[in-house]
């Protein structure tokens, strides 16, 4: 995995300054500390920072096809590259390297725009077709790899991280309140907007075509489910379990590729431990593991379970211990990495894990992310089932519990758009989880914030496939919502790509393999959620491959307490500074008196009630948003450093390899 950046002239064939492109790639050096190289010609420039994993010696990029008419700058992995390579050679292509990057230019020669549908893995890619003067930008199906873009001074700029775009010096960091409001509605960042005005995110499963100064975005993939009642069922359930096991094993085998050492992240839960157990089985030797532990007693401390799993599977375990002080100290690094607010403070643990993984000599890590979305692992899926049961027996739990508890909590509620309601999306939203934070807006937003939003509705950016959605089983509708919000907007960004890449580590996700995703989508709902038991079919696989002490464990949520970190008596001084009347007035997002009252409420007893919980989440969102503004918009809100773009000295400029058409 690497980091990419580039520029395309929408007005003609101007030269993009090499120094400017090096500032962009320099801002994402953590994504690729091993190598730097750029390609430039009049009107277009591609830059790559490389993390060398496959064909370490020969896989430098950008690279081209034989005649230099197609160039690629790419970050990610094509996990079927060995088969692709054999097929390309059989079709007469000449391959100069053993790196999967080279597959892109030749697949494009054969398939044109269809290359993205044929590419399987995780990727953010820029393809330049010199002959047709056409640029393509694309992102993988579920959103593992990020890709951002903007227009400035007649140039289209793109990069793996927003920091690279800001480092160009052509774009100022200005807030887009719509990105924050989406966060306050869905607990994550949007798929198309960002928190930076004018900078957009290419959605997962989409590609952009740029030709003759015009841009067009097209979708090449979307998650699909069978109609309700038409899902796959097996006469002998063991057949389904065996098929799922082999599908998951194949996904793991594909992700054990590369020359760089790898490890597994594990917790005390089922998903990551199953991945590690199958990985060890496939490799035929132990694989090192890492876990993060919150230094306190209670259900969120999984250190003992992780240690037991590692011992039973023969893995050498490294434990990264985190205190609440460590979480607070690392939180600014998290916001810098995520480039947006993050509610889940446990993502700080993922940053520490990535750093430790690199420190002990590993460049790649396998994780269990994606199992909950594929197989209904979250508690709100169970809540929805209970709700339907109570409603069927004449006890409208949705109105009697959810209504007073949420809509009467602070006053008002999140306004779902008419299109969202009509599609059926409202009834499958993670209602409690979303609504608690959304409710806090009614209390915490300033009048200026509401006026700036000017009727913006975050639910309009939740794209429901109206022609298919209503035909699915309610559980699959809810799974689709999870795949489209929390997974790409938080779990694969703040807790995934941004955390791992900040430590120069590559994350790999077997449960997000396209074949695994499609297999799980095809299954009947009872193979996912059976009664109130989540991930039923995965548990059957675990019973086959893991010791009994591991296979039967219930799901635990890895969480750090938000209130204690942000508003407790021992919270760091910079949090108080961010929440001061002066800092709140400087950003204008939040009502000064309301935030002050919410802070005072958090210090009172008893703490356990729904209003307190909602404001606990809301205050965490306020701190996160204020911190984002401080880091990226010039500082001045707290005694913390703010971000500034890197400089490029003459030595670095002279050392960089710049390829041009004439230099092929």
């Amino acid at each position: 995995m690497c980091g990419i950046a580039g520029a395309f002239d929408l007005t003609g064939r101007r030269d993009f300054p090499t120094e400017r492109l090096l500032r962009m790639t320099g801002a994402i050096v953590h994504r690729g500390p091993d190598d730097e190289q750029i390609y430039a010609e009049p009107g277009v420039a591609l830059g790559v920072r490389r993390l060398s994993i496959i064909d370490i010696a020969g896989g430098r990029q950008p690279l081209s096809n034989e005649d230099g008419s197609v160039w690629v700058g790419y970050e990610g992995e094509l996990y079927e590259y060995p088969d692709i390579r054999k097929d390309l050679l059989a079709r007469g292509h000449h391959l100069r390297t053993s790196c999967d990057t080279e597959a892109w230019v030749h697949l494009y020669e054969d398939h044109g725009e269809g290359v993205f549908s044929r590419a399987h893995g995780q990727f953010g890619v820029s393809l330049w077709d010199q002959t047709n003067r056409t640029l393509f930008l694309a992102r993988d199906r579920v959103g593992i790899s990020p890709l951002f873009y903007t227009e400035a001074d007649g140039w289209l700029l793109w990069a793996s991280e927003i920091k690279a775009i800001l480092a160009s010096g052509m774009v100022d960091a200005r807030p887009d309140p719509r990105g924050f409001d989406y966060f306050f509605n869905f607990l994550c960042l949007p798929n198309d907007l960002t928190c930076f005005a004018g900078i957009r995110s290419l959605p997962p499963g989409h590609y952009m075509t740029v030709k003759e100064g015009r841009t067009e975005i097209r979708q090449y993939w979307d998650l699909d489910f069978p109609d309700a009642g038409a899902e796959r069922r097996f006469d002998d359930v063991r057949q389904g379990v065996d098929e799922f096991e082999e599908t998951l094993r194949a996904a793991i085998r594909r992700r054990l590729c590369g020359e760089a050492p790898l490890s597994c992240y594990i917790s005390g839960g089922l998903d990551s431990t199953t991945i590690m157990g199958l990985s060890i089985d496939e490799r035929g030797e132990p694989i090192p593991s890492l876990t993060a532990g919150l230094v306190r007693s209670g259900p969120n401390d999984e250190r003992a379970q992780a240690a037991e799993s590692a011992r039973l599977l023969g893995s050498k375990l490294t434990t990264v211990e985190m205190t609440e002080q460590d979480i607070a100290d690392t939180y600014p690094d998290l916001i810098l990495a995520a480039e947006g607010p993050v509610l889940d403070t446990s993502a700080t643990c993922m940053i520490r894990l990535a750093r430790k993984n690199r420190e002990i000599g590993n460049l790649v890590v396998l994780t269990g992310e994606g199992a909950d979305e594929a197989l209904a692992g979250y508690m709100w899926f169970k809540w929805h089932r209970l709700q339907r049961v109570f409603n069927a027996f004449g006890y409208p739990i949705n109105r009697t519990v959810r209504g007073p508890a949420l809509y009467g909590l602070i006053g008002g509620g999140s306004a779902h758009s008419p299109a969202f309601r009509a599609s059926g999306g409202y009834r499958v939203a993670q209602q409690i989880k979303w609504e608690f934070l959304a409710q806090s807006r009614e209390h915490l937003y300033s009048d200026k914030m509401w006026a700036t939003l000017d009727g913006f509705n975050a639910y309009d950016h939740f794209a429901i496939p109206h022609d298919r959605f209503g035909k699915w089983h309610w559980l699959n509708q809810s799974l689709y919502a999870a795949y489209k919000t929390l997974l790409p907007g938080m779990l694969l960004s703040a807790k995934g790509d941004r955390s791992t890449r900040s430590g120069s580590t590559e994350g790999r996700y077997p449960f997000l393999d396209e074949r695994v995703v499609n297999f799980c989508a095809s299954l009947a709902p009872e193979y996912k959620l059976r009664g109130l038991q989540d991930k039923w079919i995965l548990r059957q696989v675990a019973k086959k491959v893991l010791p009994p002490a591991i296979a039967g464990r219930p799901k635990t949520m890895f969480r750090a307490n938000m209130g204690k970190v942000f508003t407790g008596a021992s919270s760091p001084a910079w949090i108080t500074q961010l929440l001061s009347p002066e800092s709140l007035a400087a950003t204008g997002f939040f009502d000064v008196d309301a935030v002050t009252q919410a802070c005072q409420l958090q210090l009172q007893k008893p703490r356990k009630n729904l209003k307190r919980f909602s404001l606990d989440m809301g205050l965490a969102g306020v701190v996160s948003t204020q911190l984002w503004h401080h880091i990226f918009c010039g500082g001045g809100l707290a005694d913390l450093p703010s971000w500034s773009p890197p400089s490029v000295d003459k030595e670095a400029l002279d050392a960089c390899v710049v390829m041009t058409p004439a230099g092929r």
Side-chain angles (χ1 to χ4, degrees):
M1 217 177 225
C2 306
I4 65 173
F8 179 86
D9 189 359
L10 298 170
T11 65
R13 299 192 182 186
R14 294 173 290 173
D15 288 324
F16 194 75
T18 299
E19 182 177 353
R20 178 168 289 166
L21 185 57
L22 289 180
R23 286 203 302 267
M24 295 174 71
T25 56
I28 52 175
V29 63
H30 50 277
R31 299 186 72 90
D34 299 331
D35 190 24
E36 181 176 37
Q37 195 163 262
I38 68 176
Y39 169 80
E41 65 173 81
V44 67
L46 311 178
V48 178
R49 292 288 329 193
R50 187 176 181 222
L51 180 65
S52 303
I53 292 174
I54 297 176
D55 192 3
I56 292 175
R60 302 188 74 186
Q61 55 164 316
L63 53 74
S64 71
N65 60 350
E66 296 92 333
D67 65 2
S69 62
V70 181
W71 287 83
V72 63
Y74 150 69
E75 70 110 355
E77 302 287 353
L78 293 180
Y79 292 117
E80 296 178 342
Y81 179 62
D83 295 332
I84 294 173
R85 178 181 172 81
K86 292 177 184 177
D87 187 48
L88 289 172
L89 290 171
R91 296 206 303 273
H93 289 279
H94 173 68
L95 302 179
R96 301 190 301 271
T97 76
S98 298
C99 186
D100 60 329
T101 303
E102 193 173 6
W104 283 101
V105 294
H106 298 295
L107 287 172
Y108 175 75
E109 286 180 307
D110 288 349
H111 305 292
E113 294 184 34
V115 62
F116 308 116
S117 297
R118 293 175 178 270
H120 303 286
Q122 55 195 69
F123 54 84
V125 61
S126 54
L127 269 170
W128 169 237
D129 181 341
Q130 184 187 67
T131 303
N132 296 304
R133 303 293 300 177
T134 304
L135 173 74
F136 298 95
L137 303 177
R139 192 174 172 202
D140 64 67
R141 290 164 174 77
V142 295
I144 299 171
S145 296
L147 194 56
F148 301 96
Y149 65 95
T150 192
E151 294 184 21
D153 189 29
W155 289 92
L156 176 75
L157 306 177
W158 72 88
S160 297
E161 295 185 16
I162 295 172
K163 287 182 282 290
I165 292 176
L166 299 177
S168 71
M170 302 171 68
V171 180
D172 294 329
R174 296 180 294 109
D176 186 340
R178 298 176 302 170
F180 299 129
D181 190 58
Y182 188 100
F183 165 76
F184 270 85
N185 271 282
F186 296 120
L187 289 81
C188 61
L189 298 178
N191 288 327
D192 56 347
L193 300 172
T194 72
C195 294
F196 296 83
I199 299 178
R200 304 294 293 263
S201 172
L202 187 65
H206 286 69
Y207 70 95
M208 175 190 289
T209 303
V210 190
K211 186 173 184 178
E212 297 177 349
R214 297 190 299 272
T215 63
E216 182 179 359
I217 295 177
R218 302 170 184 170
Q219 186 172 24
Y220 69 89
W221 182 87
D222 194 13
L223 179 65
D224 203 0
F225 295 94
D227 292 352
E231 304 93 348
R232 287 190 69 188
R233 291 176 170 83
F234 303 92
D235 293 334
D236 185 344
V237 72
R238 290 174 297 183
Q239 176 189 350
V241 173
D242 291 344
E243 185 177 342
F244 179 51
E245 178 188 353
E246 180 48 41
T247 304
L248 186 57
R249 280 185 181 274
I252 290 171
R253 283 195 296 271
R254 288 189 282 270
R255 283 157 180 77
L256 293 175
C257 64
E259 302 162 44
L262 58 81
S263 62
C264 288
Y265 286 167
I266 62 170
S267 64
L270 178 71
D271 310 339
S272 59
T273 310
T274 301
I275 294 299
M276 185 172 75
L278 290 172
S279 298
I280 291 173
D281 196 31
E282 289 296 320
R283 177 161 279 197
E285 61 182 8
I287 294 175
S289 55
L290 295 92
T291 193
L294 299 173
V295 182
R296 65 179 186 189
S297 60
N300 289 334
D301 188 349
E302 299 180 333
R303 286 175 292 173
Q305 290 184 335
E308 181 186 31
S309 296
R311 178 180 59 82
L312 291 172
L313 294 173
S315 172
K316 181 181 179 181
L317 177 67
T318 299
T319 300
V320 176
E321 295 187 338
M322 296 282 287
T323 64
E324 289 171 354
Q325 184 64 52
D326 291 329
I327 291 172
D329 290 344
T330 310
Y331 192 72
D333 294 341
L334 173 63
I335 301 305
L336 175 63
E339 300 175 331
V342 182
L343 195 69
D344 188 351
T345 56
S346 69
T348 57
C349 301
M350 308 309 292
I351 286 185
R352 294 285 186 96
L353 277 176
R355 292 173 181 172
K356 176 59 70 172
N357 191 52
R358 180 83 182 195
E359 180 185 316
I360 63 179
N362 301 314
L363 302 187
V364 177
V365 61
L366 273 64
T367 85
E369 212 67 74
D372 291 320
E373 288 73 22
L375 297 169
Y378 295 119
M379 66 89 178
W380 48 81
F381 298 124
K382 300 177 185 180
W383 167 260
H384 196 94
R385 168 153 284 173
L386 282 173
Q387 174 182 304
R388 292 174 66 88
V389 170
F390 274 90
N391 289 346
F393 282 93
Y395 296 94
I397 191 172
N398 190 51
R399 294 196 302 272
T400 59
V401 175
R402 183 175 174 272
L406 295 179
Y407 281 104
L409 188 61
I410 296 175
S414 59
H416 306 84
S417 68
F420 188 80
R421 286 182 178 274
S423 70
Y426 174 73
R427 67 175 177 272
V428 301
Q430 279 70 54
Q431 295 169 0
I432 291 181
K433 190 174 181 66
W434 288 353
E435 288 289 355
F436 270 119
L437 184 59
Q439 281 282 302
S440 73
R441 301 177 311 149
E442 306 291 337
H443 186 68
L444 297 173
Y445 276 11
S446 67
D447 291 340
K448 178 182 177 182
M449 179 68 160
W450 287 116
T452 303
L453 288 171
D454 191 27
F456 169 79
N457 195 313
Y459 283 82
D460 288 333
H461 287 257
F462 186 97
I464 294 289
H466 298 280
D467 58 331
R468 309 187 329 265
F469 191 85
K471 300 176 182 179
W472 299 337
H473 186 276
W474 68 263
L475 180 62
N476 288 334
Q477 292 175 335
S478 197
L479 293 176
Y480 185 89
Y483 268 105
K484 294 297 179 177
T485 53
L486 198 63
L487 183 67
M490 201 278 282
L491 298 176
L492 293 178
S493 55
K495 288 187 94 168
D497 174 87
R498 303 314 180 77
S499 295
T500 57
R501 301 319 304 279
S502 71
S504 300
T505 296
E506 175 180 291
R508 296 180 179 177
Y509 312 90
F511 284 112
L512 295 176
D513 183 277
E514 182 187 359
R515 289 179 175 84
V516 174
V517 170
N518 289 340
F519 176 85
C520 293
S522 73
L523 291 176
E526 62 265 26
Y527 297 137
K528 305 170 188 180
L529 183 62
R530 179 161 294 195
L532 294 180
Q533 185 178 62
D534 56 62
K535 294 179 285 195
W536 181 86
I537 195 169
L538 178 60
R539 295 183 185 279
Q540 310 317 303
V541 172
K543 290 175 183 177
K544 295 174 60 178
V545 302
L546 296 177
I550 303 175
R553 285 178 184 162
K555 177 176 177 61
T556 56
M557 296 291 283
F558 183 62
R559 285 284 184 267
N561 185 282
M562 294 173 291
K564 288 186 178 180
V565 172
F566 287 144
T567 59
S570 60
S571 63
W574 55 263
I575 291 179
T576 302
Q577 294 164 359
L578 291 174
L579 298 180
S580 70
E582 295 78 14
S583 292
L584 291 168
T587 63
F589 301 138
F590 306 104
D591 183 89
V592 174
D593 292 338
V595 171
T596 301
Q597 293 169 6
C599 289
Q600 294 171 348
L601 182 65
Q602 297 305 300
L603 299 176
Q604 298 174 6
K605 295 182 179 180
R607 293 184 57 85
K608 295 182 178 180
N609 62 65
L610 292 176
K611 183 175 182 178
R612 292 283 294 279
F613 180 67
S614 176
L615 289 178
D616 187 29
M617 296 180 74
L619 276 178
V622 172
V623 170
S624 192
T625 303
Q626 291 285 104
L627 181 56
W628 174 92
H629 193 284
H630 172 83
I631 290 174
F632 289 106
C633 296
L637 303 185
D639 295 331
L640 289 170
S642 59
W643 180 83
S644 59
S647 59
V648 179
D649 57 31
K650 186 177 184 303
E651 182 179 347
L653 192 61
D654 292 340
C656 180
V657 176
V658 182
M659 297 179 293
T660 64
R664 292 197 299 271

